[in-house]
Amino acid sequence: AGHPVLIIMAEAEGVVTHQSGASRLMESVFCAVCGAPLLLLGASFLLGMNEKHAVCESRAIASGEEVVKEVGCDQVGSDTLVLFSCDIKKDGLTFGPDWTGY
């Protein structure tokens, strides 16, 4: 029995080389050791952002429910948060000074 031989074949497009399984395994282990923590940190960051958004949205809805005023269709708003108790028609709506341009 002889020594292992590295097989190199020349083709028209380039050179084909043989790479051992141990070498490929070490490269994949290296990627796993370096890549997995980065992936975990990125996923944790995105999860934290999503949770913060959900909590802030929930707090905004809760604080809005505390200050909302129910008004009828014939009342004029005073730049406060209102809840209309009837159907809204786009014609004839007027906005206060804080709502210009919308």
Side-chain angles (χ1 to χ4, degrees):
H3 298 287
V5 177
L6 180 64
I7 301 173
I8 300 176
M9 297 172 53
E11 293 184 355
E13 296 176 5
V15 176
V16 177
T17 61
H18 178 273
Q19 185 178 17
S20 70
S23 175
R24 288 185 300 204
L25 178 64
M26 289 308 294
E27 286 179 5
S28 64
V29 168
F30 178 75
C31 289
V33 168
C34 293
L38 294 176
L39 183 65
L40 184 63
L41 288 174
S44 297
F45 177 74
L46 288 176
L47 179 65
M49 284 181 49
N50 187 40
E51 288 296 320
K52 180 182 177 186
H53 176 73
V55 169
C56 289
E57 187 173 310
S58 175
R59 286 181 181 171
I61 290 171
S63 66
E65 288 175 344
E66 293 173 1
V67 297
V68 69
K69 294 179 183 177
E70 187 172 347
V71 296
C73 290
D74 56 350
Q75 295 178 340
V76 177
S78 60
D79 290 335
T80 61
L81 185 61
V82 294
L83 172 67
F84 288 103
S85 58
C86 62
D87 294 333
I88 298 176
K89 295 179 183 175
K90 189 174 183 177
D91 298 333
L93 284 179
T94 58
F95 298 106
D98 294 332
W99 295 94
T100 57
Y102 289 98

